[in-house]
């Protein structure tokens, strides 16, 4: 019997967040994946630099890859500095990879990184979501709900 996955992950320091993903996609399921990084990439992330705004994940050759994530070169790095937008391998269990691949191929879903963070043990992790794209009407509804919640908060503060 499979162990139940926890929905929240232990995040001690969030480095980058993809806020646009929550607006553009319906988030179905979240996964935590490790990232295979070089030394200067880790140092750059520890300084809080990095962006996943236009990145995505793909599965090829039985491995999961983070594509188009920007980790700028380390400021004190030397000639061994890393390439900023190189594809980075995501560390997932084989069963998780096959499950994600099935959802992407059969259901037309997308793998979207939501955030990059360090966990309690100091390891760099990616919060990866299995998501389905929203259409224009869904996005308008999301904006309406957000505006209504903001207005609700104002009314409660005034008449509270």
């Amino acid at each position: 019997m499979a162990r139940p996955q926890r929905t929240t992950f232990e995040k001690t320091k969030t480095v980058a967040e993809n806020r646009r993903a929550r607006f553009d996609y319906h988030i179905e399921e979240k996964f935590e994946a490790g990232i295979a990084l070089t030394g200067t990439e880790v140092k750059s992330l520890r300084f809080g630099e990095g962006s996943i705004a236009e990145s995505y994940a793909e599965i090829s050759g039985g491995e999961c890859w983070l594509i188009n994530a920007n980790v700028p070169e380390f400021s004190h790095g030397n000639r061994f500095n890393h390439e900023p937008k190189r594809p980075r391998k995501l560390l997932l269990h084989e069963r998780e990879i096959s499950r994600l691949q099935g959802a992407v191929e059969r259901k037309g879903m997308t793998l979207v990184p939501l955030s990059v963070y360090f966990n309690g043990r100091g390891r760099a992790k990616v919060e990866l979501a299995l998501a389905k794209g929203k259409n224009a009407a869904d996005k308008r509804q999301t904006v309406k709900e957000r505006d209504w919640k903001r207005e609700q908060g104002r009314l409660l503060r005034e008449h509270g």
Side-chain angles (χ1 to χ4, degrees), residues 88-103:
R88 292 165 177 88
K89 186 176 178 181
L90 295 179
L91 309 173
L92 289 162
H93 291 284
E94 204 171 308
R95 183 179 285 141
E96 288 176 322
I97 291 174
S98 62
R99 186 169 161 208
L100 292 173
Q101 186 172 15

Side-chain angles (χ1 to χ4, degrees), residues 120-152:
R121 296 178 58 194
R123 308 264 194 234
K125 301 284 184 178
V126 175
E127 186 177 6
L128 199 62
L130 196 56
K132 197 161 194 77
K134 287 184 182 178
N135 57 20
D138 291 338
K139 290 179 185 179
R140 282 193 297 271
Q141 185 63 33
T142 303
V143 170
K144 279 183 189 175
E145 288 173 7
R146 188 173 53 207
D147 290 344
W148 169 239
K149 287 202 186 290
R150 192 175 297 135
E151 187 63 31
Q152 245 180 348

Side-chain angles (χ1 to χ4, degrees), residues 20-148:
R20 185 81 186 165
R22 297 185 199 283
F23 180 74
D24 288 338
Y25 298 96
H26 290 290
I27 307 298
E28 300 289 325
E29 196 172 352
K30 295 178 186 175
F31 294 89
E32 182 179 47
I35 321 171
L37 299 171
T38 63
T40 54
E41 287 175 324
V42 175
K43 289 179 180 183
S44 188
L45 284 176
R46 287 207 190 278
F47 275 112
E49 298 173 352
S51 169
I52 57 169
E54 61 277 341
S55 64
Y56 62 96
E58 72 176 20
I59 297 171
S60 60
E63 296 177 336
C64 194
W65 296 89
L66 183 64
I67 310 294
N68 213 16
N70 185 25
V71 178
E73 288 186 344
F74 182 54
S75 58
H76 301 332
N78 53 15
R79 62 189 172 130
F80 300 113
N81 229 335
H82 63 276
E83 185 182 326
K85 285 207 171 196
R86 75 175 182 87
R88 292 165 177 88
K89 186 176 178 181
L90 295 179
L91 309 173
L92 289 162
H93 291 284
E94 204 171 308
R95 183 179 285 141
E96 288 176 322
I97 291 174
S98 62
R99 186 169 161 208
L100 292 173
Q101 186 172 15
V104 167
E105 287 176 355
R106 285 191 284 286
K107 299 179 187 172
M109 300 184 102
T110 308
L111 289 173
V112 181
L114 297 178
S115 64
V116 174
Y117 59 92
F118 287 98
N119 67 0
R121 296 178 58 194
R123 308 264 194 234
K125 301 284 184 178
V126 175
E127 186 177 6
L128 199 62
L130 196 56
K132 197 161 194 77
K134 287 184 182 178
N135 57 20
D138 291 338
K139 290 179 185 179
R140 282 193 297 271
Q141 185 63 33
T142 303
V143 170
K144 279 183 189 175
E145 288 173 7
R146 188 173 53 207
D147 290 344
W148 169 239

